[in-house]
Amino acid sequence: MLTSLDWQLQKRIRVLIASSDATLAERLWAFLEQGGDTRPIGTASSGRECLDVLKNQAPDILLIADGLSGEDVLDICREAIHVHPRIAPVILAQSARYRDPDYLHLALDTGVCDIIHVEPPYADLRFQQVIDSVIQAYNLIQERISGMGGGIGRIVTLFSLKGGVGKTTLAANLAALLAGADERRRVILADFNWRFGSLDASVGHVAQQSILDLIPVLDAISRTDLESIAPSLGNDLRLLPAPLDAERTEFIRDLLERDLLEDDRATLIDDLLVCLREGRTPELGRDGAGYLEQVLKKEKVKQILAVLARHALQSLRRNYHYIVVDTGCQVDDITMTTLEMADLTLLVCTPDVPGIRATRAAMTLLSDLGINRENIAYVLNRVARNAEIRVSDVQSLFNGYELLGEIPADFSALQPFINTGALIVESGQDIPLTRALSQLAGRVAGRAPVARAA
């Protein structure tokens, strides 16, 4: 919240103006300079320029006009929130948009904090109206951060390049512990292993719908949409299932399994590439055109799924305090999206040579993606007292990365819960395994804190 002390310390609200109308931008700039609590830090005349400035300057408020030439302002706001989750977008809309209830609903669902009515030549746009809206939007975001509001969600992604390390079991129990730590905290367990995900079985749920059911509302996924397909597991914990088995069969066949290129098809692609490089129009026979159409359709569907993953995570971040994401061990567009958007990537490692090598490779991958090392940690799973590779050995290999937990190997205690789709952390057992899982949840909450639940 803003206080008089804030102003005494000259903590002025930093505002980025995005408008292709120079008159409007100049008027807004003048208002913000006059306001004792606000400071304009730059202007942008396009969506791309806006996002570039935002990445470098990290403003508190984005004042964006709904008249950017040929651009969807709501898409820009979504991307802005993704790039800088603590930003507060405020849209300046003309009458057609301002009086459209559907547009207002979409804007608020996107994360827009306020909408100001403007009309050229902007003579009716008042100083106090703009300043009040900016301060109100800033207060709204600060309330969420400080704990008086619903919070800005934190995405915790569990990842490993090696299968069979216990990642899914850890994800399910971690989500349950995060939800149980505060009865007002909303947590969702999201299965982003869209090829072979089985989180529903891990929590004893038979899914009837999946994340693919969000495709019809891809551009505006609301909390209602999410909860219509994400069943409650109790304690304010929900499950967002991966594609169902029937869906997955078609999904894998049509999208993920590519036929090996026959010689003639490989030659066709080579010829197309040569034509494109030389600026010539390619000549396609009937078979060649059919094959090219098939490839392009698959690429289009893959693109839709990548957008679905991003938009779903953006909506989850707006509506839940913690989003615990389980991923597959393959590196595809869906996995890449979850890694790029994660507030904390938790690498799951087992204390053996294959597990260590896979974790080291994952660290290299995350570095290549430009993900800050501060947003990466690891957990050692199935630690045995008399193991040949000790915890200290692993720590020396992963110098610079924080070890958040050591989960003891206790398959005899865990197996009954795996087989029945129950969670051991909800059993009430006080054993080293459950204590280690509780410690892990506490450390995750410390590394990726959210506002106190409303």
Side-chain angles (χ1 to χ4, degrees):
M1 290 292 291
L2 302 181
T3 65
S4 58
L5 179 59
D6 288 332
W7 310 133
Q8 293 169 12
L9 297 175
Q10 298 182 339
K11 293 183 179 178
R12 303 172 71 187
I13 304 172
R14 304 167 72 251
V15 184
L16 171 62
I17 301 168
S19 173
S20 54
D21 188 322
T23 301
L24 177 58
E26 290 172 3
R27 191 171 183 85
L28 291 171
W29 187 281
F31 286 165
L32 295 169
E33 281 194 321
Q34 294 173 34
D37 304 331
T38 57
R39 177 166 67 91
I41 64 166
T43 60
S45 58
S46 69
R48 179 49 51 197
E49 184 182 3
C50 169
L51 295 174
D52 288 341
V53 174
L54 191 147
K55 291 175 183 177
N56 295 323
Q57 300 282 348
D60 301 306
I61 303 291
L62 171 61
L63 266 182
I64 183 167
D66 193 38
L68 290 181
S69 302
E71 301 195 56
D72 188 327
V73 168
L74 294 184
D75 284 344
I76 297 171
C77 290
R78 289 189 190 98
E79 185 64 17
I81 293 170
H82 164 56
V83 172
H84 182 36
R86 299 189 180 199
I87 196 168
V90 174
I91 293 179
L92 299 108
Q94 297 185 24
S95 293
R97 296 285 200 185
Y98 186 78
R99 295 190 171 91
D100 182 352
D102 291 335
Y103 179 80
L104 298 179
H105 173 78
L106 287 174
L108 295 176
D109 193 54
T110 297
V112 173
C113 293
D114 196 14
I115 300 179
I116 301 174
H117 183 209
V118 297
E119 291 292 339
Y122 313 113
D124 294 329
L125 184 61
R126 301 302 181 198
F127 164 83
Q128 200 59 48
Q129 178 187 15
V130 173
I131 298 302
D132 287 348
S133 178
V134 166
I135 293 177
Q136 178 182 349
Y138 180 84
N139 279 340
L140 178 62
I141 294 297
Q142 294 306 307
E143 285 174 350
R144 292 176 181 173
I145 296 170
S146 64
M148 297 183 64
I152 297 174
R154 296 291 183 261
I155 297 173
V156 180
T157 296
L158 283 82
F159 179 61
S160 172
L161 286 171
K162 180 180 179 296
V165 296
K167 178 169 45 59
T168 297
T169 299
L170 285 179
N173 283 278
L174 174 60
L177 287 165
L178 290 172
D182 187 332
E183 63 181 9
R184 296 170 301 172
R185 180 185 284 171
R186 295 188 302 276
V187 179
I188 192 162
L189 179 60
D191 195 343
F192 272 60
N193 182 358
W194 291 3
R195 295 196 199 189
F196 308 113
S198 58
L199 262 178
D200 54 343
S202 297
V203 295
H205 174 76
V206 179
Q208 302 297 325
Q209 292 179 290
S210 79
I211 194 165
L212 296 187
D213 290 292
L214 294 175
I215 290 178
V217 291
L218 181 64
D219 291 331
I221 301 172
S222 67
R223 183 174 171 185
T224 301
D225 297 324
L226 291 169
E227 296 188 349
S228 70
I229 65 166
S232 173
L233 304 177
N235 293 331
D236 280 327
L237 173 64
R238 289 182 176 270
L239 168 69
L240 182 59
L244 308 178
D245 289 341
E247 296 174 326
R248 191 177 291 134
T249 301
E250 182 179 359
F251 182 64
I252 294 172
R253 183 184 66 241
D254 292 346
L255 303 176
L256 303 172
E257 289 185 352
R258 297 297 185 87
D259 294 332
L260 292 176
L261 288 178
E262 300 173 2
D263 289 342
D264 57 340
R265 292 183 174 182
T267 301
L268 169 65
I269 290 179
D270 289 339
D271 292 342
L272 287 174
L273 291 173
V274 171
C275 288
L276 291 173
R277 282 196 296 266
E278 296 178 353
R280 293 186 289 111
T281 301
E283 296 181 5
L284 296 173
R286 183 174 180 179
D287 291 342
Y291 172 65
L292 185 60
E293 180 183 10
Q294 180 185 11
V295 170
L296 293 176
K297 283 182 177 179
K298 288 184 178 181
E299 290 301 322
K300 180 177 180 180
V301 175
K302 285 183 67 179
Q303 182 183 26
I304 290 173
L305 293 174
V307 172
L308 172 62
R310 182 171 296 276
H311 285 194
L313 287 169
Q314 289 171 342
S315 182
L316 290 167
R317 178 180 266 150
R318 290 194 303 273
N319 291 291
Y320 295 88
H321 296 90
Y322 279 108
I323 306 97
V324 179
V325 181
D326 185 29
T327 60
C329 57
Q330 71 282 348
V331 180
D332 55 20
D333 291 342
I334 287 83
T335 300
M336 295 282 277
T337 298
T338 64
L339 294 174
E340 290 171 355
M341 295 185 64
D343 297 287
L344 173 63
T345 296
L346 189 59
L347 301 176
V348 180
C349 178
T350 49
D352 51 60
V353 172
I356 291 170
R357 291 185 63 179
T359 304
R360 171 58 68 190
M363 290 172 175
T364 301
L365 171 65
L366 295 172
S367 176
D368 291 342
L369 289 174
I371 295 174
N372 194 324
R373 183 176 291 197
E374 294 180 356
N375 296 336
I376 305 168
Y378 69 101
V379 56
L380 268 180
N381 195 28
R382 301 174 186 156
V383 175
R385 182 177 301 175
N386 299 320
E388 182 177 357
I389 298 178
R390 296 169 298 179
V391 172
S392 58
D393 297 328
V394 179
Q395 288 179 295
S396 65
L397 293 171
F398 297 157
N399 186 36
Y401 292 90
E402 184 178 1
L403 173 60
L404 283 192
E406 304 168 27
I407 311 301
D410 193 351
F411 188 67
S412 60
L414 193 58
Q415 185 178 23
F417 295 92
I418 294 175
N419 290 337
T420 58
L423 300 177
I424 193 169
V425 296
E426 295 181 339
S427 68
Q429 295 187 37
D430 183 17
I431 58 176
L433 176 58
T434 56
R435 290 196 293 270
L437 289 168
S438 295
Q439 290 174 355
L440 173 64
R443 290 168 182 168
V444 167
R447 277 292 298 267
V450 294
R452 186 174 64 252

